[in-house]
């Protein structure tokens, strides 16, 4: 992500040369090919770029806050986020994690139902829903195609409910790790899968509905059984 | 207490730990309806869990709880097996929905079970419902059964709130209720709790017990205060020997008269408030920095089956014999009898015995009564559309009397209970309660 890391916020319109070559940002964006804008035709792409803004989000800062209006669709182009729901008395539930190529704020809301916080220094592209809705008049389905790939907060909720319906702590931890590996894991030596863990242990415990101690105990048991080859604070090597 | 308030002391009034009260539970609610309501629990909806352990080492003659004396560990183990089955069965039906805000172990005597078995129950809850570090784990304890090391084990399991059944420190009272427990036992228990880092310790005290006098109770209060628990619950003993045969062991003539009872309750209140505790509802006291006192200041105090609470969850899931659940506007109670409870659970069914569906009117009354008890004031305006002219007249009559006697003040439809009359708040609630009023018709009124 070094390509855009120095930018804090850039409105697309001025700086970008919307046209055949696309903007330098979009042309260089390594998320684009994989999922985000690949399905847009050049004309749509040009329009999208015009109003798009890139933002960098510092670790632990929120991009969407529960109860606040949100008018933007965000694409995570670098880094990762946790989704959080706060209960009335301030207790929090981690409801999901989003990574590069995923989406936040799929619909404009007067009151966001969750908070999205950066797990590390991250980058997003922001599109206003108003613009996307207007663009849809001349390019039907542009929004749908934009978010046809990648995870959204709604996918997260689905995954979470399936996960919480699992029976034991071990099953939960296993399915969390394999979900994570399939999204951000890379093949390593000896058919291991190397997966970063950008979130804290407490985030994982809160997400899985486990107590920290139970999570640690379960991770230790998985390491002993060989399912986890090695684990450090922000990295896990899995054997499947 | 004011002269003109004395007549309210002997007036019957429900405890309002549920509304409608458990007396109205019937067969209209079955396992199928409960299952349906469980399916309606939201994905991250806060849920509080109650686990009932119906066993005790010895019979206390005042007790009104669903319990039995049991000294065979294998029987209790079999009960725990059924509890685990029930937890799994309900967990399956919730399918990952709900989020546990608190777990409360009550009884009976939860520490009749070894810490290891309590740990198994907690593990099952964690596996089936999820349990995060900020869920509050509470347990009721009989100090006579606390052995050295027990408290540490419970703290390690995650219990952060512990309540000790103290009742009364006077040995004559203890003889009269068949519960002998030396001060030193309670002292040692709370010392272990502090040592283990437990920061929310509550004492249960009872007033209106046989042989209790102002002097003896005054001493009990001093002794209790010397141990500096974080909260007190001071319950009035209800003598109902016809309904609860064990209470026949208590002699009517040993009981303090209504006036002395009131004096005892008032003494407890004065003493605790003077010692810096905040008065919570009509029978709880908490240090100002305790979660319960904070909840009251912030207007979050609620009433549930355990009394006054800072728990935010509406939905309650009860496990064990006689446990009550509340989901989607329906109260559900499990079989009281341990045998029938186990029989149902072991056959794979939800052990629902009875319950009641709360109507829209019930919900409105429940909210108003809860406001009266928790905040000492409530607006009756939202109830108006549910009242017949007759009911209206009856309620107005009762409220007029209460106002004349200085128990309440009224501004328009808003009732405010005088803070000195806090102990009478249930009587005020009863005055507007249509079920209570209907049941009282024909009976002499105060």
């Amino acid at each position: 992500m070094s390509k855009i890391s120095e930018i804090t916020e850039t409105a697309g319109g001025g700086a970008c040369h919307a046209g055949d070559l696309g903007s330098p940002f979009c042309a260089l964006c390594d998320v684009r090919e994989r999922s985000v804008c690949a399905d847009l035709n050049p004309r749509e792409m040009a329009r999208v770029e015009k109003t798009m803004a890139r933002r960098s989000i510092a670790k632990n800062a929120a991009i969407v806050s529960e109860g606040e209006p949100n008018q933007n669709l965000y694409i995570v182009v670098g880094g990762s986020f946790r989704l959080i729901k706060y209960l009335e008395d301030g207790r929090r539930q981690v409801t999901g994690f989003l990574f590069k190529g995923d989406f936040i704020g799929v619909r404009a809301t007067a009151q966001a139902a969750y908070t999205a916080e950066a797990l590390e220094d991250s980058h997003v592209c922001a599109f206003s829903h108003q613009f996307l809705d207007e663009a849809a008049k001349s390019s039907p389905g542009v929004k749908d195609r934009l978010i046809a790939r990648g995870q959204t907060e709604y996918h997260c909720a689905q995954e979470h409910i399936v996960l919480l319906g699992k029976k034991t702590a071990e099953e939960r931890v296993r399915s969390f790790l394999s979900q994570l590996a399939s999204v951000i894991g890379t093949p390593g030596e000896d058919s291991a899968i190397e997966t970063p863990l950008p979130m804290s242990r407490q985030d994982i415990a809160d997400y899985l509905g486990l107590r920290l101690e139970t999570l640690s105990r379960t991770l230790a048991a998985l390491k002993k059984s060989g399912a986890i080859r090695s684990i450090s604070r922000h990295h896990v090597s899995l054997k499947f | 207490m004011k002269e003109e308030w004395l007549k309210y002391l002997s007036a019957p009034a429900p405890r309002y730990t549920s509304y409608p009260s458990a007396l109205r539970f019937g067969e209209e609610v079955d396992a199928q309806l409960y299952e349906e309501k469980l399916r309606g629990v939201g994905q991250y909806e806060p849920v509080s869990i109650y686990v009932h352990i119906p066993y005790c080492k010895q019979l206390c003659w005042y007790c009104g709880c669903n319990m039995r004396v049991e000294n065979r560990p294998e029987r209790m183990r079999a009960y725990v097996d059924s509890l685990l089955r029930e937890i799994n069965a309900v967990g399956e039906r919730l399918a990952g929905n709900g989020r546990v805000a608190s777990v409360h172990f009550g009884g009976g005597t939860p520490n009749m079970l070894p810490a290891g078995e309590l740990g198994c129950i907690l593990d099952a809850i964690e596996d089936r419902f999820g349990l995060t570090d900020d869920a509050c784990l509470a347990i009721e304890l009989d100090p006579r059964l606390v052995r050295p090391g027990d408290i540490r084990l419970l703290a390690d399991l995650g219990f952060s709130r512990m309540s000790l059944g103290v009742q009364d420190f006077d040995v004559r009272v203890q003889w009269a209720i068949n519960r002998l427990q030396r001060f030193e036992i309670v002292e040692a228990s709370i010392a272990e709790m502090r040592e283990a880092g437990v920061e929310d310790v509550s004492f249960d005290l009872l007033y209106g017990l046989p042989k209790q006098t102002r002097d003896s109770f005054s001493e009990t209060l001093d002794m209790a205060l010397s141990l500096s628990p974080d909260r007190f619950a001071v319950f009035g003993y209800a003598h109902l020997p016809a309904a609860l045969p064990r209470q026949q062991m208590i002699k009517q003539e040993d009981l303090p008269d209504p006036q002395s009872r009131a004096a005892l309750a008032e003494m407890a209140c004065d003493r605790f408030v003077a010692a810096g505790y905040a008065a919570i509802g009509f029978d709880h006291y908490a240090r100002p920095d305790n979660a319960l006192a904070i909840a009251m200041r912030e207007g979050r105090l609620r009433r549930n089956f355990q009394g006054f609470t800072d728990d935010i969850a509406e939905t309650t899931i009860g496990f064990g014999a006689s446990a009550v659940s509340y989901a989607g506007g329906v109260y559900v109670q499990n079989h009281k009898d341990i045998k029938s409870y186990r029989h149902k659970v072991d056959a794979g069914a939800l052990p629902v015995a009875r319950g009641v569906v709360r109507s829209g009117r019930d919900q409105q009354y429940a909210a108003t009564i809860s406001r009266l008890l928790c905040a000492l004031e409530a607006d009756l305006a939202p109830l108006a559309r549910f009242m017949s002219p007759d009911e209206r007249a009856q309620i107005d009559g009762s409220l007029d009397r209460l106002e004349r006697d200085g128990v309440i003040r009224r501004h328009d439809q808003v009732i405010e209970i005088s803070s000195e009359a806090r102990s009478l708040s249930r009587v005020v609630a009863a005055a507007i309660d249509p079920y209570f009023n209907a049941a009282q018709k024909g009976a002499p009124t105060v």
Side-chain angles (χ1 to χ4, degrees):
Chain A
M1 292 323 316
S2 57
K3 285 164 244 164
I4 58 169
S5 61
E6 65 273 20
I7 285 107
T8 42
E9 177 151 351
T10 312
C16 291
H17 303 284
D20 297 334
L21 295 171
S23 88
F25 298 121
C26 295
L28 292 172
C29 175
D30 62 351
V31 167
R32 180 182 168 188
E33 280 311 303
R34 205 183 63 166
S35 66
V36 187
C37 306
D39 286 342
L40 302 183
N41 65 38
R43 194 170 51 92
E44 287 168 343
M45 191 64 218
R47 295 198 55 166
V48 159
E49 276 181 58
K50 251 185 187 162
T51 56
M52 180 175 63
R54 290 184 183 76
R55 288 188 196 164
S56 83
I57 314 296
K59 182 175 176 175
N60 291 326
I63 186 148
V64 172
S65 294
E66 185 171 350
E68 310 258 303
N70 173 47
Q71 304 302 335
N72 290 321
L73 169 70
Y74 298 100
I75 304 177
V76 182
V77 293
S80 51
F81 288 81
R82 66 176 163 247
L83 299 180
I84 288 172
K85 241 188 122 54
Y86 284 100
L87 300 183
E88 294 160 55
D89 61 349
R91 286 182 252 207
R92 57 164 222 174
Q93 168 75 56
V94 174
T95 64
F97 298 104
L98 291 171
F99 303 96
K100 203 158 78 174
D102 292 343
F103 298 82
I104 302 168
V106 178
R107 280 185 313 189
T109 42
Q111 286 194 314
Y114 53 85
T115 296
E117 291 172 350
L119 289 167
E120 55 198 307
D121 289 344
S122 302
H123 302 280
V124 296
C125 288
F127 304 85
S128 95
H129 275 287
Q130 198 191 342
F131 162 74
L132 289 172
D133 291 341
E134 269 165 27
K137 285 176 195 157
S138 53
S139 311
V142 62
K143 208 197 281 193
D144 289 346
R145 274 178 288 138
L146 202 58
I147 57 176
R149 304 187 198 176
Q151 299 269 311
T152 69
E153 61 265 36
Y154 300 108
H155 292 101
C156 283
Q158 283 302 320
E159 261 169 29
H160 199 213
I161 201 166
V162 169
L163 197 135
L164 291 180
K166 299 243 184 222
K167 204 175 165 202
T168 65
E170 189 184 318
E171 277 179 300
R172 284 186 198 184
V173 175
R174 272 178 182 274
S175 62
F176 168 70
L177 290 176
S178 70
Q179 269 174 25
L180 203 60
S182 69
V183 181
I184 54 170
T186 49
E189 283 175 20
D190 272 351
S191 71
I193 299 175
E194 306 297 332
T195 305
L197 290 174
M199 64 294 282
S200 71
R201 294 283 193 274
Q202 188 69 62
D203 285 339
I204 301 175
D206 286 351
Y207 176 63
L208 297 181
L210 295 175
R211 292 180 295 162
L212 198 52
E213 192 196 35
T214 309
L215 174 68
S216 307
R217 212 170 52 218
T218 310
L219 288 173
L222 288 175
K223 184 154 188 284
K224 205 169 168 204
S225 76
I228 292 177
R229 284 197 172 176
S230 66
I231 183 163
S232 63
R233 220 160 88 78
H234 286 304
H235 186 90
V236 62
S237 174
L238 301 168
K239 166 96 184 154
F240 279 105
Chain B
M1 176 165 275
K2 288 191 192 174
E3 187 75 37
E4 55 273 30
W5 291 359
L6 295 176
K7 59 180 173 293
Y8 296 113
L9 290 173
S10 43
R15 289 191 47 76
Y16 293 115
T17 51
S18 72
Y19 188 85
S21 89
L23 291 173
R24 301 200 60 82
F25 289 5
E27 307 210 326
E28 57 173 318
V29 172
D30 57 13
Q32 204 186 336
L33 182 62
Y34 184 35
E35 276 185 42
E36 196 180 294
K37 297 301 174 190
L38 286 174
R39 280 197 295 273
V41 172
Q43 190 178 357
Y44 302 118
E45 185 181 327
V47 164
S48 69
I49 289 183
Y50 174 78
V51 183
H52 190 72
I53 309 297
Y55 300 114
C56 288
K57 192 91 182 159
Q58 202 182 48
L59 189 67
C60 304
W61 292 335
Y62 59 81
C63 182
C65 303
N66 176 37
M67 54 69 63
R68 57 172 293 151
V69 173
E70 184 58 79
N71 288 303
R72 279 162 295 186
E74 66 278 9
R75 288 224 179 171
M76 291 189 277
R77 263 199 299 276
Y79 179 76
V80 171
D81 284 343
S82 299
L83 269 180
L84 299 180
R85 273 193 201 103
E86 191 191 9
I87 290 167
N88 277 327
V90 173
E92 253 165 41
R93 285 154 175 96
L94 271 178
N97 282 316
R99 179 178 192 278
V100 179
S102 71
V103 183
H104 186 108
F105 281 73
T109 307
N111 61 326
M112 279 292 279
L113 297 181
E117 298 207 10
L118 294 168
C120 284
I121 299 170
L122 275 180
D123 280 348
I125 292 170
E126 185 164 15
D127 280 347
R128 271 303 181 184
F129 299 90
L131 208 52
T132 54
D133 291 299
D134 54 18
C136 174
L137 271 48
I139 187 165
E140 299 169 6
L141 299 168
D142 180 342
R144 298 169 298 172
L145 301 182
V146 173
R147 287 156 312 175
D150 279 0
I151 298 295
R152 167 63 67 181
L153 288 173
L154 294 173
D156 286 347
L157 284 175
F159 287 103
S160 59
R161 285 187 187 176
M162 299 189 183
S163 79
L164 285 168
V166 171
Q167 324 313 351
D168 194 298
F169 282 120
D170 188 281
V171 73
R172 283 155 299 185
V173 176
Q174 292 184 354
W175 271 110
I177 57 175
N178 197 39
R179 186 180 174 118
L180 291 174
Q181 74 186 24
R182 288 180 305 118
F183 174 77
E184 290 73 18
I185 291 175
V186 179
E187 190 181 29
S189 294
I190 191 169
E192 273 208 51
M193 289 172 190
R194 297 313 192 192
E195 176 88 30
V198 179
E199 284 175 1
D200 196 340
V201 180
S202 175
F203 282 4
D204 285 357
L205 298 176
L206 276 172
Y207 69 88
L209 289 175
K211 302 281 186 189
Q212 241 172 11
T213 65
R214 291 179 200 210
D215 287 345
S216 80
F217 198 57
S218 169
E219 204 166 320
T220 284
L221 293 174
D222 285 340
M223 292 166 91
L225 276 167
S226 76
L227 298 176
S228 309
D230 304 281
R231 334 177 175 195
F232 288 100
V234 188
F235 302 120
Y237 166 60
H239 191 57
L240 302 161
L244 294 160
R246 67 185 75 138
Q247 292 188 347
Q248 288 164 14
M249 299 298 289
I250 291 174
K251 293 193 201 97
Q252 180 81 47
E253 66 262 30
D254 286 343
L255 294 173
D257 60 39
Q259 214 162 325
S260 314
R261 263 178 77 100
L264 297 176
E266 228 177 342
M267 189 198 298
C269 180
D270 292 346
R271 203 68 65 81
F272 293 151
V273 170
Y277 290 81
I280 314 280
F282 55 81
D283 57 5
H284 285 45
Y285 301 87
R287 291 189 171 285
D289 58 349
N290 184 269
L292 199 61
I294 295 170
M296 188 184 70
R297 281 201 299 276
E298 294 178 354
R300 287 189 286 107
L301 191 68
R302 298 184 57 241
R303 189 146 177 84
N304 69 6
F305 301 109
Q306 278 85 54
F308 292 98
T309 179
D310 57 323
D311 194 339
I312 60 164
E314 277 269 341
T315 302
T316 302
I317 297 182
F319 294 115
S322 76
V324 181
S325 305
Y326 177 78
V330 173
Y331 285 112
V332 179
Q333 185 170 35
N334 282 351
H335 283 279
K336 279 188 183 171
D337 170 57
I338 295 170
K339 218 169 167 183
S340 331
Y341 163 77
R342 293 203 51 212
H343 182 75
K344 283 276 182 196
V345 174
D346 295 353
L350 295 180
V352 173
R354 55 201 196 113
V356 70
V357 178
R358 277 209 321 201
S359 65
R361 185 184 81 149
D362 291 341
Q363 314 249 16
Q364 194 61 64
Y365 272 98
T368 306
I369 287 174
S370 171
R371 287 277 304 158
L372 270 179
L373 301 181
C374 294
L376 299 182
E377 63 168 33
D379 186 359
L380 299 192
L383 300 178
R385 68 195 174 96
F386 298 110
M387 290 179 193
S388 69
D390 276 359
E391 277 175 337
R392 177 94 244 179
Q394 188 183 2
I395 289 171
D396 278 338
S398 308
L399 292 179
D400 284 345
R401 266 195 304 280
L402 287 162
E403 189 172 25
R404 243 191 340 267
D405 290 333
V407 175
I408 59 169
R409 280 182 299 273
R410 282 195 285 179
H411 329 272
D412 262 344
Q413 299 275 1
V414 178
I415 307 183
E416 194 189 322
I417 299 175
S418 139
S419 62
E420 304 86 72
R422 165 190 305 276
S423 60
L424 299 176
S425 56
R426 290 186 299 144
V427 177
V428 180
I432 64 161
D433 175 359
Y435 295 119
F436 183 80
N437 285 331
Q440 293 297 302
K441 270 220 173 104
T445 50
V446 289

